Amino acid sequence: MLPPWIISLNDTAEPAIVGSKAHNLSRLHASGFEVPPALFLPTFDRDRLGFDSSDAYLDAIGAFAAGLNEALGSPDGWAVRSSATVEDLEEQSLAGRFDTHFITSPDELVGAVRQVWDSARLANVGVESMAVVVQKTIEADFGGVAFSQDPLDGTPSTVIEMCRGRGERLVDGEVTPWRVRMDSPERQVPAGFPPDALARIDEGVQRLAKIHGYATDVEWALKNGKLYWLQVRPVTTRVMPKFEVPESQRHELQGLWVRIRHCFAPQKPLVVSMNLPGLFDYPEWESRLVNEFHYVQMRPKPRFPLAEGDYERNMDRWDDVEAEYEKIFDDCLRADLRALDLDQLWSELQRRAELKRGFFPQYYDAEFHQLRSREYETVATFVEEAMGTNSSTDMVISELLGGLDTKTDQKQRQLVNLARLMAEHPDGDICASEEWQTFMDDFGYEAASTHLFYVPMLKENPELVLEMVRQNASQPGPAREGGANWEALRDEIEARLPAPRAAEFSRHLLRLRRCMKRTEDDDYLLQKSTAQVREALLELGRRLVDIGALDSRDDIFYLDADELERAVTQRGFDARAQADAIAERKRVFRAAKVLSPPALIVNGRPKNPRTRAEHGVLKGTPASPGIASGIAVVIDDPFSRNIDTLPANSVVIVPIVTPAFAYMLIGCAAIVTEIGGMASHGAIVAREMGIPAVVGIKGLREQLKSGMKVTVDGTRGEVVLPAPMQR
């Protein structure tokens, strides 16, 4: 008897639950193809599975393993394969990104599952998106792959590659295959290969292409003349779409247009039509959506004639704004929206959206940025006077900005304390602890993006935090303290300056430190402004599902403001027609999601600036001192909720770091970003953590891949590439 949470090959297998690979195997089986018997261990979901944590889920898998022979007898063992919800899709296949392990004993099942999960984490995919296929191993006489069209030139002819034994040897590059094109008269196959097998493989892969509606890549095995189908996915070399500016927009996008830094993913219609972030009519820029990504052209930037007292006035004004909005947003986040009827909820959403839009211009304060730049330049002048013009001024200032005790630093300490608590009480329920509740009260409103309202908050998916805490529980240790030497360095500089100049230096340094702390901490308030709107949207989405206006809560993001009002009032709202419109908008969104938006659009053409490597070294801005080496983990979309905790001592390569992303960085060796300077969140986070960081290396992700070993010199602002790339 199988546990109720295990899904068999004969069951209905939804991709969101069993992953795309398992779903495709079920389709193969249902279409009459011979598929080796298999069981599916679904993606982790606390409510659906009934397990409090992925560790409890793994324990249940271990208990099931004792009956594996009875449930899925296999004299040759089992293949334990990844089945992520993000692989084997038409938009992307991610072939080879995740692990497959062959086991011969049920005792090895838990270890193999853990290794598959670990390969997912290395690729920034969480266990909530990774199912596992446990399949009877076929000790094949011949194995290989087949493509319904040539993967090199796209011509419509079946291409078959094969080797003796398991096809995995071919896929892993261990052997040179026999290669056959079915439109070629020359068809060399190994001795003993059944004469009719080529035709059977050809017929099968072409039939699968028709069933799936796209060019397919299959893995197959032959044993005693019987043909087995092991996997089916889109052709992995299918050319991914490039970001192209639509012809209709090119004339509008003359001059320089810049992608908003926090918009590495496309927007959704409701956010745009309601201008929820306040981005779309901000007076400092003209705004356009290009393939659903947000680009702006800056208007002439105002220059403020700054007087001596303006620093205190501006900072004190912000303290008042922060106190006012902190209370407003906290009250919103504590409110019970379930007590409101539908019309009241619609009004509450509008009120919260207006609060968010009103807060944004005060958060994005141009005068403050000018004041911060002035303080930085002033401190730099004192540093050069004291240390000499040949000193690394940026690096000295970086050290002087350590130990700010930002909210990010406080969050890191709480997370380390949670890891220590878990290590001390391994059998306890950390989610029931006071420390866990405090953390969620303090930071549960955070999301990976402040502008992408469809991205979940931490409290909606606490498993991400819990997984990170678990990984650090085995060796929690003390929190790494960054910036411990800033006071000693300040004293050294003061000692080199005349007394009046030393006092002036100290005063401006304290001002700059206050600016930098505000730079980091004010983003948390921006997060709250987003969270209080998202909560109203989610509750409204739930209500609309209840009355039959929407099929899914998150479909609310695919409405525009007028459609949402009609759905709430039920005046002139056609649910069926709206469902068709939502389906089309989802298709547009999926197409945009696979694009890589360029940093710039210049005269209607996409452009990505790139830093050239000199002698195997990429140069950027030094942001946090020290040298560290590690395995690179390249993150293309820092706002994706597929990102899980990162492998220990990894070098994080990311476009930008936000405070919400920082909680996943505990244990990493170094941070390198494409965007930002000394005042960026990535720089501040690294200094608080006491790890090296280099920022502002344009085109970084095009030059590095996950798995490469790199060295980061945060003192010199350099990233040393792997040796083969230096030639």
Side-chain angles (χ1 to χ4, degrees):
M1 184 84 177
L2 290 175
W5 43 269
I6 288 184
I7 298 171
S8 79
L9 188 63
N10 298 316
D11 296 332
T12 301
E14 295 296 330
I17 295 175
V18 299
S20 301
K21 187 177 296 180
H23 173 68
N24 288 340
L25 284 175
S26 290
R27 292 181 69 185
L28 270 171
H29 180 65
S31 300
F33 289 82
E34 189 69 41
V35 178
L39 298 173
F40 307 142
L41 310 180
T43 55
F44 176 75
D45 181 279
R46 186 190 304 260
D47 296 329
R48 172 167 42 80
L49 295 178
F51 301 119
D52 289 338
S53 67
S54 57
D55 279 348
Y57 182 26
L58 201 60
D59 289 342
I61 293 171
F64 160 72
L68 182 58
N69 268 317
E70 182 180 351
L72 190 67
S74 178
D76 294 325
W78 301 266
V80 182
R81 307 178 187 275
S82 68
S83 182
T85 58
V86 295
E87 66 178 323
D88 292 1
L89 303 175
E90 184 178 1
E91 295 87 356
Q92 58 180 4
S93 71
L94 302 180
R97 180 72 68 90
F98 310 113
D99 282 1
T100 292
H101 294 276
F102 291 91
I103 62 175
T104 57
S105 167
D107 295 340
E108 301 173 73
L109 179 62
V110 168
V113 170
R114 185 182 287 113
Q115 286 177 294
V116 171
W117 285 357
D118 286 345
S119 73
R121 293 182 181 114
L122 185 62
N124 306 318
V125 174
V127 295
E128 72 283 350
S129 299
M130 175 58 77
V132 177
V133 175
V134 183
Q135 190 171 37
K136 182 178 178 178
T137 296
I138 301 298
E139 285 296 352
D141 302 319
F142 299 95
V145 296
F147 305 89
S148 64
Q149 68 179 37
D150 193 312
L152 299 180
D153 60 20
T155 54
S157 174
T158 298
V159 176
I160 302 171
E161 294 184 344
M162 70 186 76
C163 65
R164 295 187 187 276
R166 289 183 192 165
E168 281 80 14
R169 297 169 61 230
L170 182 155
V171 175
D172 293 341
E174 296 178 10
V175 297
T176 300
W178 282 273
R179 190 171 195 270
V180 175
R181 271 185 67 125
M182 293 303 289
D183 63 354
S184 171
E186 298 182 6
R187 299 180 182 176
Q188 291 187 345
V189 297
F193 188 80
D196 67 334
L198 287 180
R200 285 189 280 155
I201 296 170
D202 179 24
E203 187 275 333
V205 73
Q206 291 299 333
R207 184 153 65 96
L208 284 170
K210 291 179 181 178
I211 291 171
H212 286 269
Y214 51 73
T216 52
D217 162 3
V218 302
E219 291 185 29
W220 53 266
L222 268 172
K223 185 176 178 66
N224 298 328
K226 189 172 184 177
L227 179 61
Y228 295 90
W229 302 85
L230 307 180
Q231 291 190 50
V232 59
R233 57 183 171 241
V235 172
T236 58
T237 53
R238 177 175 176 266
V239 176
M240 298 304 293
K242 293 182 180 179
F243 187 102
E244 298 288 354
V245 177
E247 189 70 38
S248 59
Q249 283 189 288
R250 287 182 183 171
H251 71 282
E252 302 175 5
L253 298 169
Q254 295 303 300
L256 176 65
W257 292 77
V258 182
R259 187 195 62 237
I260 290 289
R261 289 181 174 184
H262 287 202
C263 292
F264 280 86
Q267 292 284 1
K268 291 187 177 179
L270 183 68
V271 177
V272 176
S273 65
M274 290 188 71
N275 188 25
L276 292 178
L279 292 171
F280 298 98
D281 59 1
Y282 189 58
E284 285 207 1
W285 55 57
E286 189 175 351
S287 173
R288 291 284 188 281
L289 278 182
V290 187
N291 297 326
E292 316 310 313
F293 294 90
H294 190 206
Y295 285 81
V296 297
Q297 185 172 59
M298 301 301 295
R299 296 191 171 112
K301 198 167 185 178
R303 297 293 297 177
F304 300 96
L306 300 177
E308 177 58 30
D310 287 342
Y311 171 85
E312 283 78 11
R313 176 187 55 77
N314 185 281
M315 298 298 285
D316 291 345
R317 183 196 66 79
W318 172 254
D319 287 345
D320 293 339
V321 168
E322 184 178 37
E324 176 188 359
Y325 276 99
E326 190 97 51
K327 182 180 185 309
I328 291 172
F329 295 149
D330 282 346
D331 288 345
C332 288
L333 291 171
R334 285 192 291 264
D336 184 4
L337 296 174
R338 295 170 299 179
L340 304 179
D341 64 31
L342 197 57
D343 288 336
Q344 290 171 328
L345 190 55
W346 168 240
S347 297
E348 177 66 8
L349 171 62
Q350 292 176 303
R351 184 183 77 87
R352 292 186 178 198
E354 190 59 38
L355 283 170
K356 164 74 173 170
R357 291 190 293 264
F359 169 70
F360 181 71
Q362 301 189 68
Y363 160 84
Y364 201 91
D365 181 354
E367 184 185 54
F368 166 70
H369 291 295
Q370 189 175 327
L371 283 165
R372 187 182 65 189
S373 295
R374 185 182 72 175
E375 293 303 326
Y376 189 97
E377 292 164 2
T378 302
V379 170
T381 300
F382 284 110
V383 169
E384 290 177 0
E385 180 181 342
M387 310 295 282
T389 55
N390 292 328
S391 64
S392 177
T393 303
D394 285 342
M395 200 63 258
V396 172
I397 295 177
S398 174
E399 294 190 54
L400 288 169
L401 294 176
L404 293 175
D405 193 31
T406 62
K407 290 183 179 178
T408 297
D409 193 38
Q410 296 163 23
K411 176 169 60 179
Q412 302 285 4
R413 289 198 295 269
Q414 286 192 41
L415 287 168
V416 170
N417 287 335
L418 283 170
R420 187 178 296 115
L421 181 66
M422 180 176 282
E424 293 170 353
H425 304 283
D427 297 327
D429 180 5
I430 194 171
C431 295
S433 68
E434 183 180 343
E435 290 84 351
W436 177 268
Q437 189 57 53
T438 297
F439 179 84
M440 281 299 163
D441 288 344
D442 289 347
F443 301 106
Y445 58 85
E446 284 193 85
S449 170
T450 57
H451 300 314
L452 300 171
F453 282 70
Y454 58 83
V455 175
M457 297 174 283
L458 282 185
K459 61 184 176 184
E460 295 175 62
N461 192 8
E463 180 65 24
L464 288 173
V465 179
L466 196 59
E467 189 65 32
M468 187 280 302
V469 171
R470 286 193 202 99
Q471 286 195 5
N472 286 275
S474 59
Q475 45 181 1
R480 284 187 280 187
E481 294 293 341
N485 298 321
W486 81 269
E487 290 176 313
L489 181 57
R490 177 202 59 192
D491 293 344
E492 179 184 348
I493 293 173
E494 286 181 347
R496 297 186 179 197
L497 294 169
R501 297 284 290 166
E504 276 293 290
F505 161 71
S506 183
R507 184 166 68 90
H508 285 286
L509 175 60
L510 291 176
R511 283 183 171 186
L512 180 59
R513 286 176 60 83
R514 186 180 175 189
C515 284
M516 292 304 184
K517 189 174 188 305
R518 168 176 163 180
T519 297
E520 183 70 0
D521 288 353
D522 61 11
D523 220 42
Y524 287 85
L525 193 54
L526 185 63
Q527 291 272 2
K528 284 186 178 181
S529 74
T530 299
Q532 52 98 30
V533 176
R534 176 172 169 81
E535 289 201 337
L537 287 170
L538 295 181
E539 180 61 25
L540 196 53
R542 281 190 284 269
R543 304 286 187 88
L544 293 177
V545 170
D546 290 342
I547 65 174
L550 296 178
D551 292 331
S552 166
R553 179 196 69 178
D554 288 348
D555 283 355
I556 192 172
F557 294 106
Y558 292 97
L559 301 175
D560 66 28
D562 291 339
E563 291 166 343
L564 179 56
E565 185 172 16
R566 289 200 298 273
V568 170
T569 61
Q570 289 293 287
R571 289 196 293 268
F573 185 81
D574 183 336
R576 178 168 295 182
Q578 194 64 57
D580 292 340
I582 289 173
E584 172 59 18
R585 291 168 192 175
K586 286 182 177 180
R587 186 197 65 77
V588 171
F589 178 79
R590 287 195 301 269
K593 195 77 168 67
V594 301
L595 298 175
S596 180
L600 308 173
I601 295 175
V602 181
N603 294 327
R605 303 290 179 182
K607 185 173 182 180
N608 265 321
R610 179 170 173 172
T611 300
R612 294 179 59 184
E614 297 181 6
H615 308 294
V617 175
L618 293 169
K619 291 186 175 292
T621 300
S624 183
I627 298 176
S629 297
I631 302 301
V633 175
V634 180
I635 297 170
D636 291 317
D637 179 4
F639 308 131
S640 169
R641 295 313 281 173
N642 286 330
I643 295 174
D644 208 327
T645 47
L646 300 165
N649 297 316
S650 55
V651 173
V652 179
I653 311 296
V654 67
I656 190 171
V657 171
T658 67
F661 179 65
Y663 73 95
M664 286 178 281
L665 299 178
I666 287 182
C668 75
I671 300 169
V672 189
T673 73
E674 289 187 318
I675 295 172
M678 294 290 296
S680 66
H681 293 296
I684 295 171
V685 166
R687 289 193 292 264
E688 293 296 321
M689 292 175 64
I691 60 174
V694 179
V695 298
I697 301 182
K698 297 179 179 67
L700 176 67
R701 289 168 296 137
E702 296 177 14
Q703 303 181 67
L704 292 174
K705 303 295 181 185
S706 291
M708 292 178 175
K709 186 171 183 179
V710 297
T711 298
V712 177
D713 187 336
T715 304
R716 298 169 63 90
E718 296 179 347
V719 176
V720 182
L721 301 177
M725 298 182 67
Q726 297 183 23
R727 291 198 289 267

